[in-house]
Amino acid sequence: MVDDRTARVALTWLAEPGNLPVWSLVEECGAEATLARLLRGDVPDKSLRAAALAKAAALDPRRLADLTLRRADRLGARIVVPSDDEWPSRVESLATLTLEGTTRVHRDTRPPLCFWVRGARPLGETLERSVAVVGARAATPYGLHATNEIAYGLAEQGWTVVSGGAFGIDAAAHRAAMAAEGRTVAVLACGVDRPYPQGNSAMFDRIAETGLLISEWPPGAEPLKHRFLIRNRVIAAATVGTVLVEAAARSGAIQTMGRVLALGRVAMVVPGPITSAMSVGCHELLRSRPDTTLVTGLSNVLETVGQIGEYPVDVPRGPDHARDTLDEESALILEAVPRRGAITPEELAVRAGLPVRTVLRRLSLLELTGLVEQRETGVALRPTS
Amino acid sequence: MVDDRTARVALTWLAEPGNLPVWSLVEECGAEATLARLLRGDVPDKSLRAAALAKAAALDPRRLADLTLRRADRLGARIVVPSDDEWPSRVESLATLTLEGTTRVHRDTRPPLCFWVRGARPLGETLERSVAVVGARAATPYGLHATNEIAYGLAEQGWTVVSGGAFGIDAAAHRAAMAAEGRTVAVLACGVDRPYPQGNSAMFDRIAETGLLISEWPPGAEPLKHRFLIRNRVIAAATVGTVLVEAAARSGAIQTMGRVLALGRVAMVVPGPITSAMSVGCHELLRSRPDTTLVTGLSNVLETVGQIGEYPVDVPRGPDHARDTLDEESALILEAVPRRGAITPEELAVRAGLPVRTVLRRLSLLELTGLVEQRETGVALRPTS
């Protein structure tokens, strides 16, 4: 026999995460007994039985689980199961999620059996106060600006920023949270040892150092297309609410929002120009789902996810430019950057009358919002700003 | 004694339009008897009694009404009262409008006693199928683009476009409707002989020729500030629905939308960039009033105001540029404009393979959307497009 942990790893290999019959069996008789039943073909669901037996014939799942656990250990990844203290209990609400639709993606939305985790922080605590910020890969400068403002601010206020690690809005959300020296969690649809897309690998390494990379799939797992759709339910379930920044019509991020709404979590949507293809999905969602909340920036998001009254509501001002959204320190620093040429952070600190540490911290925000850029000679105003 | 028409003119002079006690008396005993009672101080409302007697002492209201009617006749303006066939019956719903708030602007929202009208079309019929398009004076190019698309399309589909004649969104709505050779009505807060603002006077003359200029105030009346707030209830009540395109926080257009919602009319709001001060009011309204409808363009508006199923719903495409929203004929014409230099409409017709009449008609849309411009030598591409 194998223990609960090993059994869960083996089960995740025999059937994709979220599988309804597997999860029901585990609920009924535990992971070890479920694995034993699958291995002797003693399960009512025909297609699950056939698939599991075929896979088990190719490679003993218990042996595979052992190998995977040892491999993960070498990679610095750990496995987290429901009996662990750091299990993120909020994902258990997937147990009762019901979606309209008859495909497997609609049916197989049960809670994860386990999480693979890279990063030092405890998983449950990190996700306790978390907000997802998701959106289009083909994000526009407008969407990236909105993401920066919201994710930076959330992280600064102590919220963990959760996203999917993709190009565009997802990556901007992770980066902004790290720029604020806050916490961020990337929920992957592949192994935590080979996070996808590779183009973001430097970012993933930084996330593993300061936040968490998590996945339901074992190390080595490929980012197959359908896995993103399975993964999305975790982003929806693990967080207090989700902010959709930009999305084309019928995009993957819209699918995530469907799960957010079905779970009764807060579904926040950033509107945009009606002339932008990347806001079509956002507007469609706002029109079709009255239970979504239109948010115009950080203060709306904090107001929505926070305890009522915990955050004072800003009187709407509607700034026209990125610089108008700056806090006082950032504005002082921006003011101190010379019109031409570059300046070192140390000189900048003197000019702005602020500690160097503060200047360095704020510069990352200014860089993210596209107002300044780092050059070899120091910090300079961006030509367009 | 005076007749009903003259009495209503006199009453509008003795008290501002919408006045609750005056309207109630007229409902009770008719306009002639109400005037007689006001002139002998026989009204329960103290402040109304004092104001009316003071005004009547300065100038006999019956004589003023006579003079005004004759003056209007000379100016080509007519007066329309509820007993006329062309009375726009929809404004009568103001009889039961209740608003939160205790100021006179909140109380004095009763139906008009009469309308002064410049323009040949019958008033009631013109307003029967009408939509208001309103918004900020300090409109952005984005707002003007959205207004052009919506107002042009509404007019082309046979809807009358109603607005307030102001700079910005209002003027763009009137102009776009006229460019589509459709009907437009400007609801003024001053006399129809001196429409405000003067900067739009050429536009007002064109509206009087092709559509209608209407006002509750007699010729010669000044556009006093509070009159715009009184006027707004007519824009809300006379139309099937109102589209708010751009609005700063707490603007006059937002006040109009409050009346639209209180009357149970369709309140449509165009979202915009969260970074634009001119969309702050729109987003605020969408957030605070779940009974508003977010609209992303003409097809959403038609779908909302039209009979269900009367207009097929477009699959959202989210065009990125003004040119992507063009109909086929306009696209052909734009294609035929040379990259450098100008071309006459006649040459353009030959190149595009379309009748000159069609080219002239479509050129006005292309000009409004900023894609082409009229020069002395003919039509040319706009440098920025």
Side-chain angles (χ1 to χ4, degrees):
Chain A
M1 276 304 292
V2 297
D3 65 4
D4 172 77
R5 200 170 300 264
T6 314
R8 286 173 181 270
V9 176
L11 287 172
T12 302
W13 183 68
L14 289 175
E16 288 288 286
N19 184 285
L20 177 61
V22 169
W23 178 83
S24 304
L25 283 171
V26 171
E27 280 294 286
E28 195 187 311
C29 56
E32 298 101 318
T34 301
L35 177 61
R37 286 180 62 175
L38 272 173
L39 291 181
R40 62 173 192 265
D42 175 21
V43 287
D45 190 282
K46 267 188 199 174
S47 68
L48 172 62
R49 185 167 60 224
L53 286 177
K55 279 205 163 185
L59 175 61
D60 183 345
R62 288 159 295 199
R63 191 168 139 63
L64 176 109
D66 266 343
L67 289 170
T68 309
L69 283 163
R70 258 182 283 161
R71 179 177 173 186
D73 205 40
R74 277 200 311 277
L75 294 163
R78 66 184 183 279
I79 187 166
V80 176
V81 297
S83 59
D84 290 328
D85 283 344
E86 62 170 310
W87 183 252
S89 54
R90 209 182 276 119
V91 298
E92 294 301 331
S93 53
L94 288 166
T96 53
L97 175 62
T98 44
L99 294 169
E100 283 179 37
T102 52
T103 68
R104 294 194 59 164
V105 165
H106 292 96
R107 186 198 71 169
D108 290 346
T109 54
R110 296 306 103 180
L113 296 177
C114 62
F115 278 114
W116 297 90
V117 178
R118 259 179 77 195
R121 298 176 182 279
L123 179 59
E125 200 185 300
T126 307
L127 289 172
E128 185 53 38
R129 269 169 60 87
S130 66
V131 174
V133 179
V134 300
R137 288 188 299 276
T140 72
Y142 168 75
L144 296 173
H145 170 82
T147 306
N148 284 337
E149 194 230 337
I150 292 168
Y152 189 99
L154 279 168
E156 213 174 26
Q157 297 281 335
W159 288 88
T160 298
V161 174
V162 174
S163 197
F167 289 128
I169 301 298
D170 285 17
H174 292 303
R175 290 197 173 103
M178 290 190 284
E181 292 174 22
R183 290 184 299 277
T184 192
V185 175
V187 184
L188 303 172
C190 57
V192 292
D193 57 326
R194 46 193 294 177
Y196 176 88
Q198 279 200 356
N200 283 344
S201 59
M203 179 188 83
F204 289 124
D205 287 343
R206 280 185 62 214
I207 295 176
E209 280 164 32
T210 64
L212 296 172
L213 294 179
I214 72 170
S215 177
E216 297 177 78
W217 289 270
E222 298 268 359
L224 304 176
K225 204 178 167 190
H226 73 281
R227 289 184 170 160
F228 292 94
L229 299 179
I230 297 176
R231 180 272 319 260
N232 288 347
R233 79 194 198 294
V234 173
I235 294 179
T239 53
V240 171
T242 300
V243 182
L244 175 67
V245 182
E246 283 193 313
R250 287 175 297 282
S251 71
I254 298 285
Q255 193 244 25
T256 304
M257 296 305 274
R259 277 134 185 73
V260 173
L261 289 162
L263 286 163
R265 300 276 193 278
V266 194
M268 293 161 279
V269 182
V270 176
I274 58 170
T275 43
S276 165
M278 284 301 124
S279 289
V280 169
C282 295
H283 295 148
E284 241 188 305
L285 197 63
L286 284 165
R287 279 175 57 78
S288 61
R289 299 294 304 249
D291 40 356
T292 52
T293 303
L294 185 152
V295 292
T296 63
L298 176 65
S299 75
N300 283 174
V301 173
L302 290 175
E303 186 190 332
T304 308
V305 298
Q307 297 291 326
I308 290 157
E310 189 179 342
Y311 298 101
V313 181
D314 279 5
V315 177
R317 292 177 310 133
D320 243 323
H321 302 291
R323 31 180 92 226
D324 293 342
T325 65
L326 297 176
D327 58 278
E328 207 179 326
E329 285 176 352
S330 302
L332 278 172
I333 294 164
L334 186 63
E335 207 61 40
V337 180
R339 294 211 153 228
R340 279 148 200 272
I343 186 170
T344 66
E346 288 72 20
E347 290 175 281
L348 206 46
V350 175
R351 278 200 186 207
L354 292 167
V356 177
R357 214 166 50 99
T358 307
V359 169
L360 288 170
R361 195 177 144 91
R362 293 298 173 185
L363 274 178
S364 37
L365 171 66
L366 290 168
E367 215 181 325
L368 276 172
T369 53
L371 292 167
V372 305
E373 61 186 18
Q374 297 276 3
R375 298 190 189 156
E376 279 185 23
T377 48
V379 179
L381 289 179
R382 273 281 289 277
T384 50
S385 76
Chain B
M1 277 302 291
V2 296
D3 63 5
D4 172 77
R5 201 169 302 262
T6 314
R8 286 173 183 271
V9 176
L11 288 172
T12 302
W13 183 68
L14 289 175
E16 289 286 287
N19 184 283
L20 177 61
V22 169
W23 179 82
S24 305
L25 283 170
V26 171
E27 280 293 287
E28 194 187 312
C29 57
E32 297 101 319
T34 300
L35 177 60
R37 287 181 62 174
L38 273 173
L39 292 180
R40 62 171 190 267
D42 174 21
V43 286
D45 190 283
K46 266 190 201 172
S47 68
L48 171 63
R49 185 168 60 224
L53 287 176
K55 279 207 165 187
L59 174 60
D60 182 344
R62 289 158 295 197
R63 190 169 138 65
L64 177 108
D66 266 342
L67 288 170
T68 309
L69 282 164
R70 258 182 284 164
R71 179 177 173 188
D73 205 40
R74 275 201 310 278
L75 295 164
R78 66 184 182 279
I79 186 166
V80 176
V81 296
S83 59
D84 290 327
D85 283 344
E86 62 171 310
W87 183 253
S89 52
R90 209 181 275 117
V91 298
E92 294 301 330
S93 54
L94 289 166
T96 52
L97 174 64
T98 44
L99 296 169
E100 282 179 37
T102 51
T103 68
R104 293 194 59 162
V105 165
H106 292 97
R107 186 198 71 168
D108 290 345
T109 55
R110 295 307 102 179
L113 295 177
C114 61
F115 279 115
W116 298 91
V117 179
R118 258 178 79 195
R121 297 176 184 279
L123 178 58
E125 200 185 301
T126 307
L127 290 172
E128 185 55 38
R129 268 168 60 86
S130 66
V131 174
V133 179
V134 301
R137 287 189 299 276
T140 71
Y142 168 74
L144 296 173
H145 171 81
T147 305
N148 284 337
E149 193 230 338
I150 291 168
Y152 189 98
L154 279 168
E156 213 175 25
Q157 298 280 336
W159 288 88
T160 298
V161 173
V162 173
S163 198
F167 289 128
I169 301 297
D170 285 17
H174 292 304
R175 289 197 174 103
M178 289 191 284
E181 291 175 23
R183 290 183 299 276
T184 193
V185 175
V187 184
L188 304 171
C190 58
V192 292
D193 58 326
R194 44 193 294 178
Y196 176 88
Q198 279 201 356
N200 284 343
S201 59
M203 179 188 83
F204 288 124
D205 287 341
R206 279 182 63 213
I207 295 177
E209 279 164 33
T210 64
L212 296 172
L213 295 178
I214 72 172
S215 177
E216 298 178 78
W217 288 270
E222 298 268 1
L224 304 177
K225 203 176 170 193
H226 73 280
R227 289 184 169 160
F228 291 95
L229 299 179
I230 297 176
R231 182 274 315 263
N232 288 348
R233 80 195 198 293
V234 173
I235 293 178
T239 54
V240 171
T242 300
V243 181
L244 175 66
V245 182
E246 285 193 313
R250 288 174 297 281
S251 71
I254 299 284
Q255 192 244 27
T256 304
M257 296 305 274
R259 277 134 185 74
V260 172
L261 289 162
L263 287 162
R265 301 276 193 276
V266 193
M268 294 161 279
V269 182
V270 176
I274 58 171
T275 44
S276 166
M278 283 302 125
S279 290
V280 169
C282 295
H283 295 148
E284 240 189 304
L285 197 62
L286 284 166
R287 279 174 56 77
S288 62
R289 298 295 304 250
D291 41 355
T292 51
T293 303
L294 184 153
V295 291
T296 63
L298 177 65
S299 75
N300 285 174
V301 173
L302 289 176
E303 187 190 333
T304 309
V305 298
Q307 297 291 326
I308 290 158
E310 190 180 343
Y311 300 100
V313 182
D314 279 5
V315 176
R317 291 178 310 135
D320 243 322
H321 302 291
R323 31 181 92 227
D324 294 341
T325 65
L326 295 177
D327 59 275
E328 205 179 326
E329 286 176 356
S330 302
L332 278 173
I333 294 164
L334 187 63
E335 206 61 39
V337 180
R339 294 211 153 227
R340 280 150 198 270
I343 186 171
T344 66
E346 288 72 21
E347 290 174 283
L348 206 46
V350 175
R351 276 199 187 206
L354 292 168
V356 176
R357 215 165 51 100
T358 306
V359 169
L360 289 170
R361 196 178 144 90
R362 294 297 174 186
L363 275 178
S364 35
L365 171 65
L366 290 168
E367 214 182 326
L368 278 173
T369 53
L371 293 167
V372 303
E373 60 186 19
Q374 297 276 1
R375 296 187 189 158
E376 281 185 23
T377 47
V379 180
L381 290 179
R382 275 281 291 276
T384 51
S385 73

